[in-house]
Amino acid sequence: MLGGALLFTPLWREQNPLVPAPARAALSPGTPTNLAQFLQGGTVPAPIFNYMEWGGYLEAQLYPQYRMFIDGRFEARKVEVWYDYLSVSRARADWQTTLDRYGVRTLVLNKEFHKDRIGFVAKSPQWKRAYDDKMGVVYTR
């Protein structure tokens, strides 16, 4: 049993013939590696509002240079932060006021999840697009 358990640990995943080839990679295809490389250049101002599902990965790649607004650790944030994240993400009318309250100067948005938000940001004179790829877009002010 111990051998079987070890066979499926991340350490051996890429060499394991029992794991289908597309699942062997350490990072999923939805991981924003190019976006993280752009942010590592340090050209965007903090604080950053980010797509929650990318928060852990981005924090691992960018800390201590940048801290993320949110990640998947529900216990690490006050419930108000979660409500604010959802209200901004879902294009509520007071989205800009909420971002102002946190001092957010950079948005890291997922093109699929934030499609409604991106339309509003693109029309705002306060925000300028700094980066764009197939998965995400970065706006700064």
Side-chain angles (χ1 to χ4, degrees):
M1 272 188 15
L2 180 60
L6 289 174
L7 187 60
F8 288 95
T9 65
L11 181 65
W12 306 109
R13 187 178 189 113
E14 289 186 38
Q15 291 81 25
N16 187 339
L18 300 175
V19 174
R24 288 185 195 161
L27 299 174
S28 76
T31 304
T33 55
N34 292 335
L35 192 146
Q37 285 179 337
F38 167 75
L39 294 173
Q40 285 172 332
T43 59
V44 301
I48 294 175
F49 177 91
N50 62 286
Y51 175 50
M52 185 269 298
E53 291 187 23
W54 293 344
Y57 174 76
L58 292 175
E59 195 123 74
Q61 298 301 309
L62 303 170
Y63 186 85
Q65 181 180 9
Y66 293 112
R67 294 180 63 193
M68 297 300 109
F69 184 86
I70 203 151
D71 58 34
R73 298 172 299 151
F74 291 95
E75 73 284 355
R77 305 287 193 276
K78 293 179 180 179
V79 71
E80 294 82 14
V81 174
W82 286 99
Y83 290 136
D84 289 341
Y85 169 77
L86 291 172
S87 71
V88 169
S89 292
R90 292 299 180 204
R92 204 171 76 183
D94 64 345
W95 68 276
Q96 187 63 61
T97 305
T98 302
L99 293 174
D100 290 345
R101 195 170 68 244
Y102 287 96
V104 169
R105 297 183 58 209
T106 296
L107 302 173
V108 174
L109 306 175
N110 177 291
K111 284 187 172 178
E112 202 172 303
F113 183 79
H114 292 114
K115 61 185 170 194
D116 295 334
R117 167 61 38 237
I118 291 169
F120 286 103
V121 175
K123 293 176 186 174
S124 171
Q126 290 187 38
W127 297 96
K128 304 290 181 230
R129 186 171 46 204
Y131 176 84
D132 193 341
D133 69 19
K134 65 180 181 174
M135 286 189 290
V137 62
V138 176
Y139 284 92
T140 63
R141 61 174 170 169

